[in-house]
Each structure stands twice: as C-alpha cells, then as structure tokens.
Amino acid sequence: MLIVFLGAPGAGKGTQAKTLAQKQNLTHLATGDLLRAEVAAATALGLAAKAFMDRGDLVPDDVMIGMIKGRLEGPDSDGILLDGFPRTVAQATALDEALTTANTSVDRSIFFKVSEEELVRRLAGRATCPNCQRPYHDTFNKPQNTDKCDDCGSDLIRREDDKPEAVRNRLKVYATQTTPVLEHYQKVGNLVEVDGEQSIDAVQEDLAAAIG
Ligand code: AMP
C-alpha cells in the first residue's frame, strides 16, 4: 500500500502520519524529518538543503526525488506513507514513473484541508521534541513542564522555519508550487479530501474511512 499525505504546512499531516503508520504498520517517510536529520548530521545534503529550509523555500526537485527513490524499495512493512512528498508536479510525475517501473502506484492521496487563518495560528506556537519528534503547541497541546518533552524530558525546540517571515513564505510556496499537485492526483482519481480543522481524533476516523 502506498499513501500520500498532501496539505499545507501546519495542516496536521505529521501528527496524523505518526499514528496511522503505527496502526497500519506503514513505513512513515517524512521528507522534512529526513532533511532535518541530514542538517543535524551536517552531511553535504543537509548543508545544501539548510538555507532553502530556513527561508521556507523548497529544496530542489532533483535532490528530493533522489532521496525518496532510494527509500521506496525494500522497507520491511505493509506499505509506505509519504508525508511531505511530492510537493511539486515534477516530484509527483517522478514518483509515478518510479512506481510504474516497480509495477505499482499510489493507492490513495489524502488532502488535509485547513484554512490559511488556522494554519498561521497553528504554526506560530509550534514546538517539537528533537529526540522523539513528539509535537507540542503553546495553546492546543502544552507540555506538562515548560519546554520539556513529556515522554523523554528533552528540551523542546522551535523550528527556524516557524518564524513569521518563513511561515509566510512557506504558505506562498505551498499555494504556488504544491496546490497543482492536488490537481495531478484528482486527474489520476485517487484523491480524498479530509477536513483537517476537526479534532485530532475526528481526523483520524475520517482517515481510516478514506483508506478503507
Ligand atoms: P516539513 O517538515 O514537511 O514542513 O518540511 C520542512 C522543509 O523541508 C520545507 O519547508 C522544505 O524546505 C523542505 N522539504 C520537505 N519536503 C520537501 C519536498 N518534498 N520538496 C522540497 N522541499 C521539501
């Protein structure tokens, strides 16, 4: 099974992907997390990607396509959940080609629909545990101890690209470069829309129904 999560930054893809991947034994491939790991390890790829990420721009397609292609083969799971990829039509087309070669295809693409006003509200207060990746929020999902992870006690971090200027750019980049990907999957016929403004549990239920 291959599932693709689509939606703006802050739409809740990462939160839902973690739960769904666990429940359905899927390999969760989050390109943002993979890139942040490369940055943290100061690899050549990470160093090249960091400036794009900090500004809220997309990392070039050839880098991203290479990164995902290498991971599509051989994971020991019941399938793959792509979170944050594809983000351009060129990435979607390259993914289709790679899957066709492997005699498979995207089973479901899920669009998390959230208004821009709500996206800005969510992104502004976001914090993450750098150790176990658990997400927090200043208003909706506070840790018990200020700026410490409830699960592992690590100091929470705030992403450089959650600062206001980068957030504005990420939403602009999403509107211009990523929304055409929705049309791509609409044409393919596997796109399902989920109301991402509902509670986390309600979104989870809708996802389960969408995947079947
Ligand atoms: P995310 O954690 O998904 O919000 O991704 C953080 C940042 O990583 C994005 O703002 C981009 O700079 C970069 N990134 C993640 N996935 C992709 C992708 N598929 N294509 C290009 N850049 C990406």
Side-chain angles (χ1 to χ4, degrees), residues 41-110:
T43 63
L45 195 158
L47 293 174
K50 187 174 185 315
F52 292 99
M53 296 170 72
D54 286 350
R55 285 196 303 270
D57 284 335
L58 294 184
V59 173
D61 282 336
D62 54 342
V63 175
M64 297 312 302
I65 291 165
M67 177 184 250
I68 281 297
K69 269 190 179 168
R71 286 178 162 87
L72 284 178
E73 296 141 17
D76 184 18
S77 70
D78 294 336
I80 293 178
L81 171 49
L82 282 178
D83 162 14
F85 186 98
R87 259 173 154 105
T88 64
V89 171
Q91 292 179 13
T93 308
L95 177 64
D96 287 348
E97 283 167 9
L99 293 174
T100 303
T101 307
N103 235 345
T104 178
S105 59
V106 172
D107 294 290
R108 272 279 181 288
S109 56
I110 314 263

Side-chain angles (χ1 to χ4, degrees), residues 43-185:
T43 63
L45 195 158
L47 293 174
K50 187 174 185 315
F52 292 99
M53 296 170 72
D54 286 350
R55 285 196 303 270
D57 284 335
L58 294 184
V59 173
D61 282 336
D62 54 342
V63 175
M64 297 312 302
I65 291 165
M67 177 184 250
I68 281 297
K69 269 190 179 168
R71 286 178 162 87
L72 284 178
E73 296 141 17
D76 184 18
S77 70
D78 294 336
I80 293 178
L81 171 49
L82 282 178
D83 162 14
F85 186 98
R87 259 173 154 105
T88 64
V89 171
Q91 292 179 13
T93 308
L95 177 64
D96 287 348
E97 283 167 9
L99 293 174
T100 303
T101 307
N103 235 345
T104 178
S105 59
V106 172
D107 294 290
R108 272 279 181 288
S109 56
I110 314 263
F111 169 48
F112 290 70
K113 190 172 184 197
V114 175
S115 68
E116 185 163 330
E117 194 189 353
E118 175 67 9
L119 293 170
V120 171
R121 227 155 55 91
R122 289 183 183 183
L123 291 168
R126 217 156 69 153
T128 318
C129 173
N131 183 39
C132 66
Q133 314 301 328
R134 182 168 166 180
Y136 294 89
H137 193 279
D138 293 343
T139 313
F140 317 118
N141 182 18
K142 287 187 188 172
Q144 277 159 16
N145 295 320
T146 310
D147 285 336
K148 297 263 184 226
C149 178
D150 292 348
D151 286 342
C152 67
S154 302
D155 288 334
L156 301 183
I157 52 165
R158 285 165 199 273
R159 286 169 43 170
E160 192 62 32
D161 60 355
D162 281 344
K163 291 184 177 162
E165 197 179 327
V167 165
R168 273 195 294 276
N169 191 38
R170 285 162 72 200
L171 293 176
K172 200 172 86 193
V173 165
Y174 171 77
T176 54
Q177 299 191 57
T178 307
T179 52
V181 176
L182 299 178
E183 226 171 279
H184 175 90
Y185 286 117

Side-chain angles (χ1 to χ4, degrees), residues 181-203:
V181 176
L182 299 178
E183 226 171 279
H184 175 90
Y185 286 117
Q186 210 152 30
K187 276 189 207 143
V188 174
N190 61 21
L191 184 73
V192 179
E193 185 176 300
V194 165
D195 176 1
E197 293 199 25
Q198 306 174 91
S199 69
I200 291 178
D201 288 349
V203 175

